[in-house]
Amino acid sequence: MRVKNLIDSLYWKIGALFLVLLIFTGAIFIYVTAFTAEMYVQEATQKVSRPIAQYIALKANPFKDNKIDQKMLRLIFDSASMMNPGVEVYLLDPQGTLLASSVPWKQVERKMIALDPINKFLGCDRNCFVLGDDPHVISGDKVFSVAPVLTNNEIRGYVYVILRGGEYDSATGMIFDSYFLPLSLKSFGITLLISAVMSLLVLRILTRKLRKLTVVANAYGRRDFSERISVSSRDEIDRIAIALNQMADTIVEYMGEIENTDQLRRELVANVSHDLRTPLASIQGYVETLLLKLGKLKLEEQKEYLNIVLNGTIKLVGRVEELFELSKLDAAQFVLNPEPFALTDLIQDVILKFNPEVEKTNLQLAVDMPKNLPLVSADIGLIERVLQNLVDNAIRYSPEKSVISIRISPLVENLRVDVLDEGSGIFSEDLPFIFDRFYRGQQDTSRNSRGSGLGLAIASKIISLHNSELSVESSPDKGSCFSFTLPLVS
Ligand code: ADP
């Protein structure tokens, strides 16, 4: 398990990859260094020793009377190897065929030397670098020097000098094995070790952030959103950390909202059941009585019971409609249908509807608005509902013979509507909550007992859908004033 964790860990994966890359680049570096060093030495050797063959060919002619002068040749070979044991001297005919060699004949594998490199060497100045055939092997090149042997201005052959012969190679091979290779490997090993330690350290620092991210993300996975990752810079990992922090904030926010909604839902169900239970129980009671005493009750009594059942049913239907209306307004896909209309006309209509109730309670319903008001743009059906709810409340919470007024004042881009009454007013402790669903204030008059606590919630929702706000000013026993504004037609 532990080993598997190690293999899976990004730290060790990158570390191992880095190590492989280091070894690979190190090996390439050693190879390229050795190769270029070799080429450098070869080129330098050719440049320095270029005139050797020329010198031999000028000082001693190995041909005498169209034959090879063996004595002279021996002298040439011996003095050349005495001067520089690393060189090998060969005598070629004009076609490149090997005629004689300073090394034992049996060590010579190639008897024909290509003329192309020889011609190239002779044709260029000392700045060029040419490799020629190595007579020691069937295929292989060596750095060389060459000069033609002339008799009567005619090429009789070539003195072909391999500048780094077999002896030189075995000497440099020994140096390579005993000095260059161990030194290279040692320095490579030390560099590798230092680089590996350094890179693992750097990786550790870099992956520390990743480990922190993992710990916090795991905590989020366990629904623990308390931790946040501290961000010091703006690198890629920090940007992930910022995104994770934001994600956690959003989740916490949503969880809060879900909890609130859940709480609201539970309250709503409790309120609705409580609200419906009372009229339903009363309806059930009266219907049971009617059934039990069927035929025994007087007609008047039957009528009275049936009226109670009817009122209860009307109340129930009203409640259900209000709830339905509120849920419709709450729906995300709810769309307003704004249209231009005259607020004055709408108010007159609303007043007309309430006339019978106003007369019954000896109330006075007054309208206070200037003439020729501009049109407003709003959803006429919904604004009628708002006015109905506000006037209905004003009637229910006002004593008999008091005055209820609807006032319209033009503002720059809006019309302001105030619904005022001289009723019971609202206690300051109720004021912050009266727009909440199902909230009912502490006032209790015989006429307001039919309240549901939904009227102001519906009105406030409608006004907020019109990008305005339903506000209230009220003090107990002085009355209340509910206000909102509507935009003028632009
Ligand atoms: P309800 O059906 O109970 O009236 P509303 O949502 O319309 O429900 O009103 C919520 C509460 O606000 C009421 O219970 C009442 O206490 C208070 N309220 C609303 N309008 C008035 C008003 N015009 N005068 C006094 N109190 C009011």
Side-chain angles (χ1 to χ4, degrees):
M1 187 65 192
R2 186 102 185 94
V3 176
K4 188 169 182 328
N5 278 352
L6 274 183
I7 294 169
D8 284 346
S9 138
L10 193 62
Y11 174 69
W12 289 112
K13 271 185 193 164
I14 299 178
L17 187 75
F18 204 70
L19 207 67
V20 171
L21 274 178
L22 265 178
I23 293 172
F24 183 67
T25 42
I28 288 182
F29 181 73
I30 290 180
Y31 175 76
V32 169
T33 315
F35 179 76
T36 44
E38 169 66 17
M39 292 306 284
Y40 172 80
V41 172
Q42 282 195 23
E43 201 170 333
T45 308
Q46 192 170 59
K47 277 204 167 61
V48 173
S49 311
R50 188 182 168 85
I52 277 191
Q54 183 73 27
Y55 180 75
I56 294 170
L58 277 179
K59 285 285 170 190
N61 194 333
F63 295 102
K64 195 177 177 188
D65 304 331
N66 278 343
K67 283 191 193 140
I68 297 173
D69 182 348
Q70 291 297 341
K71 230 169 123 193
M72 182 55 78
L73 195 64
R74 197 67 265 150
L75 194 73
I76 290 170
F77 287 164
D78 289 348
S79 43
S81 47
M82 235 161 57
M83 269 180 346
N84 187 348
V87 300
E88 291 166 1
V89 185
Y90 299 89
L91 188 64
L92 312 180
D93 73 3
Q95 284 71 44
T97 313
L98 220 65
L99 300 173
S101 146
S102 68
V103 293
W105 196 246
K106 59 176 184 293
Q107 289 178 14
V108 179
E109 291 286 335
R110 199 183 333 215
K111 301 291 184 321
M112 190 77 193
I113 302 299
L115 287 181
D116 276 355
I118 291 176
N119 290 332
K120 194 173 173 201
F121 182 92
L122 294 172
C124 67
D125 62 3
R126 68 188 295 256
N127 279 332
C128 70
F129 172 60
V130 192
L131 289 177
D133 284 352
D134 177 10
H136 269 290
V137 284
I138 291 295
S139 66
D141 297 329
K142 278 270 168 79
V143 62
F144 70 100
S145 166
V146 72
V149 182
L150 301 172
T151 310
N152 300 331
N153 275 340
E154 210 177 286
I155 296 180
R156 290 284 294 116
Y158 295 100
V159 174
Y160 186 70
V161 183
I162 294 294
L163 298 171
R164 294 173 53 191
E167 287 214 16
Y168 185 96
D169 280 351
S170 62
T172 49
M174 270 157 61
I175 296 171
F176 184 84
D177 289 349
S178 65
Y179 173 73
F180 182 78
L181 198 62
L183 184 72
S184 303
L185 287 178
K186 213 190 277 175
S187 46
F188 175 58
I190 293 171
T191 318
L192 191 72
L193 195 74
I194 294 173
S195 319
V197 171
M198 297 277 283
S199 51
L200 284 181
L201 268 175
V202 172
L203 263 179
R204 187 134 203 101
I205 295 169
L206 283 180
T207 50
R208 193 168 49 201
K209 282 186 184 176
L210 279 177
R211 281 195 300 279
K212 176 79 182 154
L213 278 189
T214 319
V215 171
V216 175
N218 278 339
Y220 292 170
R222 294 190 306 271
R223 292 173 170 230
D224 172 8
F225 295 99
S226 53
E227 276 224 50
R228 293 291 177 275
I229 307 149
S230 56
V231 177
S232 48
S233 63
R234 286 271 156 175
D235 61 23
E236 285 78 356
I237 300 177
D238 280 333
R239 272 182 259 153
I240 299 176
I242 293 171
L244 259 182
N245 285 348
Q246 281 170 349
M247 186 190 81
D249 288 343
T250 315
I251 291 177
V252 169
E253 198 181 304
Y254 276 132
M255 274 173 31
E257 275 176 25
I258 290 170
E259 267 167 35
N260 279 347
T261 318
D262 197 47
Q263 171 77 11
L264 270 176
R265 188 188 53 80
R266 268 182 271 130
E267 277 174 20
L268 185 93
V269 172
N271 283 322
V272 170
S273 351
H274 178 262
D275 248 44
L276 301 186
R277 202 184 301 130
T278 322
L280 275 174
S282 137
I283 292 169
Q284 184 188 358
Y286 281 102
V287 172
E288 277 172 1
T289 316
L290 274 169
L291 279 173
L292 268 176
K293 300 185 178 174
L294 206 64
K296 293 177 204 158
L297 282 175
K298 288 183 204 151
L299 197 63
E300 283 304 301
E301 282 174 321
Q302 283 183 27
K303 236 182 176 174
E304 190 193 333
Y305 287 5
L306 282 172
N307 264 328
I308 293 173
V309 170
L310 180 66
N311 283 337
T313 320
I314 291 170
K315 207 172 175 179
L316 271 180
V317 171
R319 292 280 186 283
V320 172
E321 268 172 6
E322 276 179 334
L323 280 168
F324 183 59
E325 196 176 354
L326 207 53
S327 79
K328 253 192 341 192
L329 292 171
D330 276 341
Q333 56 270 41
F334 180 81
V335 265
L336 279 183
N337 282 321
E339 54 182 306
F341 66 90
L343 199 54
T344 332
D345 296 346
L346 182 70
I347 289 173
Q348 296 300 351
D349 287 352
V350 172
I351 288 176
L352 263 180
K353 277 186 197 154
F354 281 100
N355 251 348
E357 212 163 338
V358 169
E359 274 168 20
K360 212 163 54 187
T361 46
N362 277 328
L363 284 166
Q364 205 186 314
L365 201 48
V367 185
D368 173 8
M369 47 193 169
K371 284 199 171 77
N372 301 325
L373 279 172
L375 301 182
V376 289
S377 169
D379 190 313
I380 188 165
L382 294 181
I383 298 302
E384 182 176 9
R385 182 76 167 119
V386 173
L387 290 169
Q388 271 174 4
N389 286 5
L390 295 180
V391 174
D392 182 51
N393 276 353
I395 294 173
R396 281 192 288 128
Y397 294 101
S398 290
E400 293 202 356
K401 295 181 184 163
S402 62
V403 181
I404 295 169
S405 5
I406 303 177
R407 193 170 61 199
I408 302 183
S409 342
L411 304 175
V412 186
E413 289 175 343
N414 308 300
L415 285 191
R416 179 188 161 105
V417 182
D418 299 302
V419 179
L420 306 107
D421 65 57
E422 301 169 342
S424 58
I426 303 165
F427 290 119
S428 55
E429 51 269 39
D430 284 335
L431 267 180
F433 308 108
I434 55 162
F435 298 113
D436 291 354
R437 285 150 203 224
F438 297 105
Y439 189 82
R440 283 170 208 164
Q442 298 165 28
Q443 304 93 327
D444 189 22
T445 69
S446 53
R447 272 187 293 119
N448 74 16
S449 61
R450 64 187 163 95
S452 64
L454 287 174
L456 283 183
I458 292 173
S460 156
K461 178 78 198 175
I462 293 173
I463 296 301
S464 75
L465 284 171
H466 284 82
N467 297 324
S468 180
E469 196 191 355
L470 181 61
S471 59
V472 62
E473 275 176 32
S474 181
S475 50
D477 292 328
K478 281 202 180 131
S480 312
C481 171
F482 287 87
S483 319
F484 62 93
T485 58
L486 289 178
L488 297 176
V489 175
S490 50

